[in-house]
Amino acid sequence: VAGGDTTVLLGVETTFPGDPITLSIAGQPATLRLSGGLSGDQTFSLTRGVVVSGTMKGTMKMTISGGPVGAKGMTLSSATETSVRLAP
Protein backbone atom coordinates (compact mmCIF):
# COMPACT_ATOMS: atom_id res chain seq x y z
CA VAL A 1 0.00 0.00 0.00
CA ALA A 2 1.52 3.29 -1.08
CA GLY A 3 1.94 5.70 1.81
CA GLY A 4 1.22 3.00 4.36
CA ASP A 5 2.69 3.05 7.85
CA THR A 6 3.14 0.66 10.71
CA THR A 7 2.49 2.10 14.17
CA VAL A 8 2.98 0.76 17.66
CA LEU A 9 0.82 1.81 20.61
CA LEU A 10 2.90 2.09 23.79
CA GLY A 11 1.56 2.42 27.34
CA VAL A 12 3.55 5.04 29.29
CA GLU A 13 3.72 5.42 33.07
CA THR A 14 5.85 7.77 35.15
CA THR A 15 6.28 7.72 38.91
CA PHE A 16 8.31 10.14 40.96
CA PRO A 17 11.21 9.24 43.27
CA GLY A 18 10.28 8.77 46.92
CA ASP A 19 13.65 9.96 48.22
CA PRO A 20 13.92 13.59 49.33
CA ILE A 21 15.64 16.05 47.00
CA THR A 22 17.92 18.57 48.70
CA LEU A 23 17.92 22.09 47.29
CA SER A 24 18.69 25.66 48.16
CA ILE A 25 15.93 28.30 48.12
CA ALA A 26 17.07 31.90 48.54
CA GLY A 27 20.38 30.58 49.88
CA GLN A 28 18.70 28.43 52.56
CA PRO A 29 18.65 24.61 52.65
CA ALA A 30 15.30 23.01 51.82
CA THR A 31 13.87 19.59 51.00
CA LEU A 32 11.51 18.65 48.18
CA ARG A 33 9.51 15.41 48.08
CA LEU A 34 7.54 14.34 45.01
CA SER A 35 4.72 11.83 44.82
CA GLY A 36 1.98 10.83 42.42
CA GLY A 37 2.32 9.74 38.84
CA LEU A 38 1.43 10.27 35.20
CA SER A 39 0.15 7.68 32.74
CA GLY A 40 -1.05 7.53 29.17
CA ASP A 41 -0.03 6.26 25.75
CA GLN A 42 2.05 7.10 22.71
CA THR A 43 1.60 6.04 19.10
CA PHE A 44 5.00 5.53 17.48
CA SER A 45 5.39 5.48 13.68
CA LEU A 46 7.95 2.90 12.58
CA THR A 47 8.11 4.43 9.10
CA ARG A 48 8.71 7.99 10.30
CA GLY A 49 10.67 7.06 13.43
CA VAL A 50 8.74 9.47 15.67
CA VAL A 51 5.87 9.63 18.14
CA VAL A 52 2.88 10.80 16.08
CA SER A 53 0.42 11.18 18.96
CA GLY A 54 0.20 10.73 22.69
CA THR A 55 -1.67 11.58 25.86
CA MET A 56 -0.55 11.81 29.49
CA LYS A 57 -2.54 12.64 32.60
CA GLY A 58 -2.19 12.37 36.33
CA THR A 59 -1.31 14.24 39.51
CA MET A 60 2.01 15.37 40.95
CA LYS A 61 2.23 16.35 44.61
CA MET A 62 5.21 18.46 45.76
CA THR A 63 6.02 18.95 49.45
CA ILE A 64 8.65 21.57 50.25
CA SER A 65 10.07 22.13 53.74
CA GLY A 66 12.86 24.33 55.07
CA GLY A 67 14.20 27.47 53.46
CA PRO A 68 11.79 30.42 53.31
CA VAL A 69 8.71 28.19 53.79
CA GLY A 70 9.93 26.97 57.22
CA ALA A 71 9.95 23.58 58.91
CA LYS A 72 6.16 23.16 58.68
CA GLY A 73 6.46 23.22 54.91
CA MET A 74 4.08 23.69 52.03
CA THR A 75 2.35 21.17 49.79
CA LEU A 76 1.36 21.83 46.18
CA SER A 77 -0.70 19.51 44.03
CA SER A 78 -0.83 19.75 40.25
CA ALA A 79 -3.28 17.82 38.08
CA THR A 80 -2.27 17.72 34.44
CA GLU A 81 -3.61 16.39 31.15
CA THR A 82 -1.53 16.77 28.00
CA SER A 83 -1.89 15.56 24.44
CA VAL A 84 0.41 15.87 21.43
CA ARG A 85 -0.14 15.21 17.74
CA LEU A 86 2.52 15.46 15.04
CA ALA A 87 1.43 17.58 12.09
CA PRO A 88 1.33 15.70 8.76
Side-chain angles (χ1 to χ4, degrees):
V1 176
D5 192 2
T6 300
T7 59
V8 178
L9 180 63
L10 304 168
V12 180
E13 185 173 322
T14 300
T15 56
F16 302 103
D19 296 333
I21 300 167
T22 303
L23 24 114
S24 176
I25 301 174
Q28 300 176 33
T31 301
L32 170 67
R33 290 184 185 271
L34 301 172
S35 61
L38 302 171
S39 62
D41 58 65
Q42 293 180 341
T43 302
F44 185 83
S45 164
L46 296 178
T47 302
R48 297 168 77 181
V50 297
V51 172
V52 293
S53 67
T55 60
M56 292 290 285
K57 65 180 176 177
T59 302
M60 179 174 59
K61 183 177 169 184
M62 300 161 279
T63 303
I64 303 168
S65 59
V69 297
K72 187 174 180 181
M74 173 176 63
T75 300
L76 306 166
S77 183
S78 173
T80 186
E81 185 170 344
T82 304
S83 62
V84 296
R85 185 168 189 86
L86 184 65

